[in-house]
Amino acid sequence: MTQSMLIQRFIGEPGGLLKALHALQNSNTNNFLSPQDLELVSGAFGVPLAKVWGVATFYSLYSTIPRGRYIIRVCESAPCHVVGAHNILTALAKNLNICTGETTADGKFTLEVTSCLGICGVAPAIMINDTVHGNLTPESLASVLALYN
Amino acid sequence: MFYRSHVLVCTGSNCNIKGCQGITEALRRELTRLSLEQEVRLVETGCLGLCEHGPALVVYPEGVMYVRLTAADVAEVAEEHLLKGRLVPRLLQPTATVDSGYSLNMSPFFSKQKRIVLKNCGLINPDSIEDYVHADGYIALATTLDTKTPTDVIDVIKKSGLRGRGGAGFPAGRKWEFTRWATGSPKYLICNADEGEPGTFKDRLILEGDPHLILEGMIIAAYAIGATKGIIYIRGEYDLSIRRMEHAIAEARKLGLLGQNILGSELEFDVEVCAGAGAYVCGEETALIESIEGNRGEPRFKPPYPAQQGLWGKPTCVNNVETLANIPAILQHGAEWYQQIGTANSPGTKVFTLTGNIINSGLIEVPMGITLREVIYEIGGGIPEGRSFKMAQTGGTSGGCLAEEHLDIPMDYDSLAGHGSSLGSGALLVMDDSHCIIDLTKCFLKFFVHESCGQCTPCREGTPALYSIIDKLSRGLATESDMRLLKRLSRTMQSSSLCALGQTAPVPVLSALVHFNEEVEAHFKGDCPTCKCHTARGGRQSAN
C-alpha cells in the first residue's frame, strides 16, 4: 500500500490528521515521519506544512528523525525516580553504548526518556515498542534486551 | 452451570507485565489435568489492587488470595486448594495467616477500603457484558430512563456533592447543568482518560477492570446533558485500556445500549474511542479538545468554557473516568447515601494509586477524609526495608510534599489544599528517609520543563528557570537573589499561566520551601543531608 493510500480514509474525517500521522509512522521501517510524509499529509488534508510540522513535533509519540526498530522509553518521572530509574537509564546507555535520543549503529534500538507511563505499580518501568517491562534492576536489563535478539 | 469455586486471576496491566498470562495458561492446564473444569470456573478479571505482589489470584467463595505466583506455584494451588481443599500458606497475601484469618475481607488492605468505583474491579470479567449485568450493571441506567427526567438526574448529582475526580474538584452536577442549558447542537460528552499525572494509573485500571461502568456513567450523563455523541480520549500508551473499551462499546451496541432508542427510550447516544499521541497537557480539557480536533494540544483561553464552546465549537462536557464511574451508584442508591460517605465538602470515595517506598503499592479506594497515616501504614503496610517515613507527595507531580507532621490530616479536597498540596488525581508517592527533597524537586521540575506546551510565556520560560535555580541549589551554588527569584517566579507562574500546568508547576517547589525548609537551608549552605546531590561540600555518595 502506498503512503497516500494509507492516509486516504482519514481525509475528511474530523480530527483525522493525528490518525494519519500515526498510520504513516507505524508503516515506516525507521519509526519516524519523514519530510515527504509531512508534505503528503499537508497536501492531502489541505493544511499548511507548518501546521502538520507543528502537530508532528508537539506529541512525544511522533518523531521527525529516523529511529531504530525498537524504541526503548525509560520512565523518569518521580515514582520511577525514587526506586532507581536513573540507574536503569545509565545501565541501558552503557549496555547499548548510546546516549539518550540516539540509535544503535545497527539500527536496532533507540533510547528515549519519557514521562510517566502509568504503570507505577511495577516501577521502575520501561516500554520497548508496545511492551512494558517493570520491576527492573540494572542486572535484569540484559535478559530483557535479550528478548529482542 | 453451577461451579463450586471461582478462581479470579488479575489481568490488569501491572500483573500483565509480571506474567499473569502464564498463570492463566498454567491454571487452565491444571484444571484440565485434574478434571476440575466442570467444578471450578476460571475468570480473568481486572486489577485486584495489590500490584506490588502480583501476579495474584483469588479463590472464591473462601476469598483466599495467593500472591507472587509462578507457573509452578499454580500447580500447587490447583492440587492443594482446588482439589484437596487445603490452603497453601507460603503463597498467601502478606497479612494473611492460616490461623488468624485468611479471607480477603479480613486483611487491612481490603477491610479499610470502601469500593464504589472499584466494586467490580477484580471480580468480573471485563470483556463480558453478561458479567457486568449480573453485577447489577445497567440497572441504574434503566431505572433512570424510566423514572427520571434529565433535570432530575442533574439535581441528584448536584445534591450528592460529587466533585470532579480529575484533579480540580469542580462540582460535577454544575458542569452538567452548564452544558444542559447551553445553546447549540449537537452536544458532546468527553470522557477524559488521558491520564498523565506521574504516579497515577487509576483510570487505566478502571478502564481495564470495568469498562461498562464507564459506559453506563456516560450514557446517564449524556441523557442528563442532552449529548448525542461521546468520545473517550485514552492516552496512546494505554493499549489494553483501548482494546477493552472498544470491545465493551461493541458489546453495548449489540444489546442496544448505544445507538438510537436506547433501552426502548427516545435517547440517542454513541461513543467512540480516540487515542492520544503522548502529551501530558492534553489532560487539560481544552487542550484535549484541540487534540481531538487534530491540532497541537495547546490549551484555549477560557472563557468561553467547553460547556459553551467546546469540541467543534459546540457545547461539550468533559468528565474524568472516575467521576463518570461514580454516576451509576449515585443514581442507584441516591444522593443521601452518597453524601454519608466521606466528608461534608468532599463526599464519596477516592481512588488512590500508592507508589514509591511503600509495601503494598497498588490501587485502592477509600472514603474521603481518611488520614494519610491510615493509608500508608494500615492499607499500604508501611515503609519497606526497615526505613522510616520522610515525605509523601499527594496529587501527583503537581502536588506538594507533606512531612511527618501531616500524617494525620484528612485526605480531602479542602484539607490538602490548606496544607499547600492537593488531592489531585489521587496519586500518592511515598518516600523514605533516604530521599532528598531537592533531588526530588529537580525531578518534578524536569517533568514540567518537558511537558510545558510552550504556548504561554510564564510556563514556557518559568519552568526551565525554576529548574535551573533548583539545580544550582542542589550543587550548593544558589545565591540569596536566586532564592528570592524562586519565590517571585513561583507566584508569577501561579497567577499568570494560561492553564493548570503552569499554575501548579511551582506547587512542589513552594511546599519544599515551607515543609522542608531546614533541608533547603542545608543545600543553600552547600550540604546535602542525604548525600543525593553533588553539593559544593560533598559529592554524591549514593549511586541514585
Side-chain angles (χ1 to χ4, degrees):
Chain A
M1 195 187 283
T2 65
Q3 301 300 82
S4 57
M5 279 159 73
L6 204 62
I7 61 168
Q8 198 62 42
R9 65 195 167 106
F10 302 117
I11 301 168
E13 181 185 329
L17 199 136
L18 263 71
K19 290 178 185 168
L21 294 179
H22 269 304
L24 286 174
Q25 178 163 290
N26 289 342
S27 76
N28 187 310
T29 44
N30 288 321
N31 263 314
F32 85 118
L33 293 161
S34 67
Q36 293 79 5
D37 288 339
L38 300 180
E39 276 166 31
L40 177 72
V41 172
S42 163
F45 280 75
V47 290
L49 182 59
K51 179 186 164 163
V52 182
W53 182 265
V55 172
T57 51
F58 184 83
Y59 296 97
S60 60
L61 292 185
Y62 303 131
S63 173
T64 50
I65 49 167
R67 295 185 289 182
R69 255 179 301 145
Y70 299 109
I71 297 156
I72 307 179
R73 296 193 177 90
V74 183
C75 172
E76 54 166 13
S77 286
C80 280
H81 176 84
V82 303
V83 290
H86 184 74
N87 298 342
I88 302 298
L89 183 62
T90 314
L92 270 172
K94 199 173 153 201
N95 201 314
L96 299 170
N97 202 20
I98 47 174
C99 297
T100 307
E102 290 180 355
T103 301
T104 51
D106 59 0
K108 193 165 175 188
F109 292 110
T110 297
L111 184 61
E112 294 183 355
V113 291
T114 173
S115 297
C116 186
L117 296 165
I119 196 74
C120 325
V122 292
I126 64 173
M127 254 178 119
I128 302 183
N129 288 358
D130 289 333
T131 310
V132 185
H133 301 274
N135 288 132
L136 298 168
T137 61
E139 296 72 35
S140 68
L141 282 173
S143 62
V144 170
L145 291 178
L147 297 172
Y148 298 86
N149 276 326
Chain B
M1 189 183 299
F2 176 77
Y3 293 98
R4 67 169 166 86
S5 276
H6 283 71
V7 181
L8 312 184
V9 183
C10 172
T11 61
S13 274
N14 287 303
C15 278
N16 219 328
I17 293 156
K18 291 182 162 193
C20 67
Q21 271 169 323
I23 301 300
T24 320
E25 283 159 24
L27 189 60
R28 206 165 270 139
R29 269 199 312 274
E30 286 304 309
L31 292 180
T32 313
R33 187 176 70 84
L34 301 169
S35 308
L36 291 173
E37 301 123 302
Q38 306 296 317
E39 298 174 45
V40 180
R41 183 184 172 212
L42 166 64
V43 188
E44 295 178 58
T45 69
C47 181
L48 294 162
L50 275 171
C51 304
E52 178 69 29
H53 306 282
L57 62 80
V58 185
V59 185
Y60 281 99
E62 303 92 314
V64 175
M65 185 173 193
Y66 292 113
V67 297
R68 293 182 186 271
L69 298 167
T70 63
D73 293 334
V74 171
E76 194 178 338
V77 169
E79 177 119 13
E80 285 295 304
H81 191 137
L82 299 174
L83 186 68
K84 298 176 182 164
R86 295 193 292 230
L87 292 182
V88 186
R90 68 177 185 90
L91 299 172
L92 289 174
Q93 52 142 326
T95 51
T97 63
V98 178
D99 311 321
S100 70
Y102 46 77
S103 160
L104 211 63
N105 302 329
M106 292 174 77
S107 114
F109 181 82
F110 291 100
S111 65
K112 296 228 75 169
Q113 294 192 44
K114 168 88 187 162
R115 292 180 157 228
I116 296 173
V117 169
L118 301 179
K119 71 180 162 101
N120 293 330
C121 219
L123 276 178
I124 64 166
N125 176 356
D127 277 335
S128 158
I129 193 166
E130 288 85 8
D131 265 26
Y132 180 69
V133 171
H134 283 167
D136 287 349
Y138 291 111
I139 282 188
L141 171 67
T143 44
T144 301
L145 293 181
D146 238 16
T147 59
K148 288 188 172 66
T149 65
T151 5
D152 290 344
V153 178
I154 292 176
D155 284 343
V156 172
I157 300 303
K158 272 170 78 179
K159 211 169 147 200
S160 76
L162 174 68
R163 296 170 70 171
R165 297 290 195 252
F170 190 81
R174 278 180 56 205
K175 209 176 200 179
W176 285 14
E177 199 171 37
F178 294 151
T179 321
R180 166 99 212 148
W181 300 119
T183 47
S185 134
K187 288 180 185 168
Y188 293 98
L189 171 69
I190 298 175
C191 170
N192 184 349
D194 189 47
E195 182 174 57
E197 190 65 55
T200 315
F201 45 100
K202 66 176 176 79
D203 295 343
R204 171 183 216 143
L205 296 178
I206 298 169
L207 288 166
E208 287 173 10
D210 202 2
H212 285 286
L213 181 68
I214 311 304
L215 279 186
E216 186 176 359
M218 284 185 81
I219 303 167
I220 296 172
Y223 175 65
I225 64 179
T228 48
K229 175 106 183 118
I231 293 168
I232 309 180
Y233 186 97
I234 306 179
R235 65 181 284 199
E237 292 90 339
Y238 283 13
D239 195 39
L240 188 60
S241 304
I242 295 173
R243 267 188 287 142
R244 291 221 172 124
M245 202 66 220
E246 281 177 340
H247 179 78
I249 291 171
E251 275 191 311
R253 268 195 206 128
K254 249 188 257 165
L255 292 189
L257 290 157
L258 288 173
Q260 291 178 337
N261 303 110
I262 293 173
L263 292 173
S265 73
E266 305 264 288
L267 181 62
E268 180 195 340
F269 181 64
D270 210 345
V271 176
E272 68 171 289
V273 170
C274 178
Y280 167 75
V281 74
C282 287
E284 200 278 338
E285 56 184 14
T286 58
L288 187 149
I289 289 170
E290 285 290 328
S291 179
I292 295 176
E293 292 185 357
N295 304 322
R296 288 165 67 93
E298 288 173 350
R300 296 176 179 172
F301 283 95
K302 291 192 270 193
Y305 289 90
Q308 280 82 44
Q309 278 178 42
L311 186 61
W312 311 113
K314 302 293 180 190
T316 304
C317 176
V318 185
N319 284 140
N320 174 259
V321 171
E322 190 187 342
T323 314
L324 290 163
N326 272 293
I327 302 300
I330 296 175
L331 282 153
Q332 198 179 347
H333 303 291
E336 291 78 15
W337 165 81
Y338 194 75
Q339 270 183 329
Q340 279 165 14
I341 306 161
T343 63
N345 284 328
S346 309
T349 58
K350 181 79 193 83
V351 180
F352 287 96
T353 41
L354 309 181
T355 59
N357 306 122
I358 186 158
I359 289 175
N360 298 331
S361 70
L363 177 78
I364 61 162
E365 181 177 0
V366 288
M368 289 273 193
I370 194 171
T371 65
L372 205 50
R373 189 185 300 279
E374 285 172 283
V375 171
I376 295 173
Y377 288 95
E378 293 180 40
I379 299 174
I383 316 294
E385 293 169 19
R387 300 206 73 111
S388 49
F389 173 85
K390 176 168 179 177
M391 54 190 160
Q393 189 184 39
T394 63
T397 290
S398 53
C401 281
L402 298 171
E404 203 170 354
E405 70 252 33
H406 303 113
L407 279 174
D408 292 309
I409 60 169
M411 311 257 286
D412 58 49
Y413 290 104
D414 307 318
S415 307
L416 286 172
H419 287 86
S421 186
S422 68
L423 194 63
S425 56
L428 180 58
L429 173 63
V430 181
M431 288 155 279
D432 67 27
D433 54 1
S434 69
H435 293 288
C436 164
I437 185 73
I438 297 300
D439 176 61
L440 279 160
T441 308
K442 230 168 99 169
C443 172
F444 303 148
L445 288 170
K446 197 170 174 187
F447 169 79
F448 288 119
V449 172
H450 180 255
E451 295 296 345
S452 172
C453 80
Q455 184 182 198
C456 76
T457 311
C459 178
R460 183 188 61 239
E461 304 300 325
T463 46
L466 286 180
Y467 179 86
S468 95
I469 299 173
I470 294 293
D471 182 50
K472 275 170 91 177
L473 190 58
S474 79
R475 288 183 282 130
L477 301 173
T479 62
E480 294 271 1
S481 94
D482 284 329
M483 300 308 283
R484 279 196 301 277
L485 179 61
L486 190 65
K487 287 181 196 162
R488 223 181 76 201
L489 188 56
S490 294
R491 281 197 300 272
T492 307
M493 288 175 68
Q494 284 185 311
S495 59
S496 59
S497 295
L498 179 58
C499 82
L501 195 157
Q503 289 159 14
T504 56
V507 169
V509 178
L510 294 173
S511 83
L513 294 180
V514 175
H515 301 319
F516 298 91
N517 189 32
E518 250 175 60
E519 205 173 332
V520 175
E521 284 290 315
H523 283 83
F524 184 70
K525 290 178 186 146
D527 200 16
C528 174
T530 52
C531 304
K532 287 267 182 189
C533 303
H534 291 281
T535 54
R537 280 206 214 155
R540 178 185 281 236
Q541 289 181 3
S542 153
N544 47 359

